[in-house]
Amino acid sequence: MAEHAHAMDEHHYTATGIDNRKLAIWTFIGSECMFFASLIGTYLVYKGRDVIGPKPHAQWLDKAGQLQEQMLEIPLVTFGTALLLFSSFFVVLALSGAQRGNRKQLIGWLIATIFCGVFFVGMQVYEFNHFFHRGMGYTTNLFGSTFYTLTGFHGTHVTLGLVWLVSVLFVALKGDLPPEKSLNLEIAALYWHFVDVVWIVIFPVVYLIR
Amino acid sequence: MDAAAHAEHSHPGWQTYLKIALVLFALTALEVAAYEVVERHSPAAFATLLEPIVVPVLLILSAFKFALVAMFYMHLKMDGKLLSGVFSFSLILAAFIISALMVIFGYLYSHAPTVNQLK
């Protein structure tokens, strides 16, 4: 009975019956939807309006008059996308472990999630570096500005999500994430799923639609 | 209170999560396959059929993936209508923002004078 009362104290329920932290993260996610909508909208309105190269989906002439291949590399990004999708699967398994008090499952799947996230950020760093060395800076053309802004903000969100998940991992390793505190991971997981759903939109809009 | 606590812990099992992951993976593979068919124009007959509708196809596949993650991984299907309402409302506003930007810039591109006209 006392344990049950303690568990209830850990949850800060509002008049709606929903924990206030959960309601807060969903409201924050809602505001983030509008933030990314403005970035995606800006990318779309400038799409295909470049006067000079580099071009995302077509060959282009560089300053020396040499013909260059399209900028975007689909296979690498597809692999990164698949890893990000699987990271969402791994984090729900970690949450399931936390809710059932299975510490081994919680830590194992959380590490797998972080590994996928690190690879995704690494993929983006490689991509940005590769594009820069192929002559696409932030101010080179409209595609460069809108591409770096949109995917860069998403990458920043993934990085922040990773910092959050790593901090939760440390708490779990210390043994301070019992089932009654699993909401701490659930909130971090909701943010992680959000960066995943944003990428689900960005991937076709930027990489697959010509 | 108890109902809310119960709802929070009545999430699906790992089998459901695995099925969703595999569907998401398959849908991503379909998206890339649709892109490659149109890009390489091979097989030619299928590419000709797909080319005019590839954008809506990609957007529908993307929307389906989005809904699966939101409903099952983010637990909106199980967590009650208020959270779904908060998220849906923000998605409607987000869609409005994108549409408004496209309409405004579309109008600007078609009606604003060009640099040569201003000279």
Side-chain angles (χ1 to χ4, degrees), chain A residues 4 8 11 13-14 16-19 22-23 26-27 29-31 33-42 44-46 49 57 70 72 74-75 78 81-82 85-86 88-89 92-93 95-96 99-100 105 142 179 182-183 186 189-191 193-194 196-198 200-201 203-205 207-210, chain B residues 1-19 21-22 24-25 28-29 31-32 35-36 38-39 54-56 58-59 61-67 69-70 72-76 79-80 82-84 86-87 89-91 93-95 97-98 101-103 105-106 109:
Chain A
H4 180 69
M8 296 303 270
H11 293 260
Y13 290 106
T14 59
T16 60
I18 298 167
D19 187 286
K22 200 164 177 175
L23 196 56
W26 272 108
T27 311
I29 285 171
S31 71
C33 283
M34 287 172 264
F35 172 72
F36 276 102
S38 64
L39 294 180
I40 291 167
T42 306
L44 287 172
V45 296
Y46 288 130
R49 296 195 175 272
H57 293 287
Q70 70 168 49
L72 299 176
I74 307 301
T78 304
T81 303
L85 288 173
F86 275 109
S88 265
F89 171 53
V92 285
L93 293 182
L95 177 63
S96 171
Q99 286 171 339
R100 290 188 290 111
Q105 184 185 340
L142 278 172
S182 65
L183 189 69
E186 189 170 353
L190 280 172
Y191 179 80
H193 294 309
F194 171 71
D196 186 22
V197 292
V198 170
I200 282 173
V201 178
F203 179 58
V205 167
Y207 291 90
L208 301 182
I209 294 175
R210 290 179 68 97
Chain B
M1 191 81 78
D2 282 342
H6 175 73
E8 220 173 80
H9 297 286
S10 62
H11 296 160
W14 68 268
Q15 296 93 336
T16 307
Y17 290 138
L18 179 63
K19 280 178 199 163
L22 293 174
L24 289 171
F25 185 76
T28 306
E31 284 180 333
V32 177
Y35 168 82
E36 290 293 338
V38 173
E39 185 74 10
V54 72
V55 173
L58 288 172
L59 292 178
L61 288 173
S62 168
F64 195 51
K65 284 164 67 182
F66 189 106
V69 174
F72 291 96
Y73 286 171
M74 297 173 95
H75 304 131
L76 279 182
D79 273 359
L82 180 68
L83 298 179
S84 299
V86 169
F87 193 47
F89 179 66
S90 60
L91 286 182
L93 285 180
I97 290 168
I98 294 175
L101 275 171
M102 295 190 79
V103 168
F105 276 80
Y109 290 138

Side-chain angles (χ1 to χ4, degrees), chain A residues 52-55 59-68:
Chain A
I52 57 165
K55 303 277 183 186
Q59 292 181 321
W60 53 283
L61 287 172
D62 63 13
K63 283 177 187 167
Q66 298 283 321
L67 195 63
Q68 299 285 336

Side-chain angles (χ1 to χ4, degrees), chain A residues 2-210:
Chain A
E3 275 178 19
H4 180 69
H6 177 70
M8 296 303 270
D9 286 344
E10 294 291 341
H11 293 260
H12 309 277
Y13 290 106
T14 59
T16 60
I18 298 167
D19 187 286
N20 59 5
R21 291 167 294 172
K22 200 164 177 175
L23 196 56
I25 190 72
W26 272 108
T27 311
F28 173 69
I29 285 171
S31 71
E32 288 277 89
C33 283
M34 287 172 264
F35 172 72
F36 276 102
S38 64
L39 294 180
I40 291 167
T42 306
Y43 180 85
L44 287 172
V45 296
Y46 288 130
K47 190 177 172 70
R49 296 195 175 272
D50 302 294
V51 181
I52 57 165
K55 303 277 183 186
H57 293 287
Q59 292 181 321
W60 53 283
L61 287 172
D62 63 13
K63 283 177 187 167
Q66 298 283 321
L67 195 63
Q68 299 285 336
E69 289 301 312
Q70 70 168 49
M71 290 298 284
L72 299 176
E73 291 177 16
I74 307 301
L76 176 72
V77 183
T78 304
F79 187 58
T81 303
L83 276 185
L84 199 60
L85 288 173
F86 275 109
S87 76
S88 265
F89 171 53
F90 296 155
V91 83
V92 285
L93 293 182
L95 177 63
S96 171
Q99 286 171 339
R100 290 188 290 111
N102 187 337
R103 192 163 171 264
K104 202 174 162 186
Q105 184 185 340
L106 159 66
I107 291 169
W109 289 118
L110 205 49
I111 289 171
T113 308
I114 292 165
F115 173 80
C116 291
V118 167
F119 181 88
F120 182 84
V121 173
M123 182 273 298
Q124 239 181 1
V125 170
Y126 167 82
E127 189 184 40
F128 279 25
N129 191 42
H130 185 61
F131 285 2
F132 185 75
H133 284 101
R134 283 187 67 193
M136 190 173 84
Y138 186 73
T139 55
T140 306
N141 63 1
L142 278 172
F143 169 61
S145 303
T146 51
F147 173 83
Y148 284 130
T149 305
L150 175 56
T151 58
F153 265 112
H154 179 265
T156 309
H157 278 72
V158 176
T159 308
L160 290 174
L162 277 173
V163 171
W164 196 346
L165 289 178
V166 168
S167 67
V168 174
L169 176 65
F170 277 119
V171 172
L173 285 170
K174 276 171 57 186
D176 201 19
L177 198 64
E180 58 269 24
K181 285 187 179 176
S182 65
L183 189 69
N184 293 343
L185 174 59
E186 189 170 353
I187 291 167
L190 280 172
Y191 179 80
W192 189 254
H193 294 309
F194 171 71
V195 297
D196 186 22
V197 292
V198 170
W199 189 255
I200 282 173
V201 178
I202 291 175
F203 179 58
V205 167
V206 174
Y207 291 90
L208 301 182
I209 294 175
R210 290 179 68 97

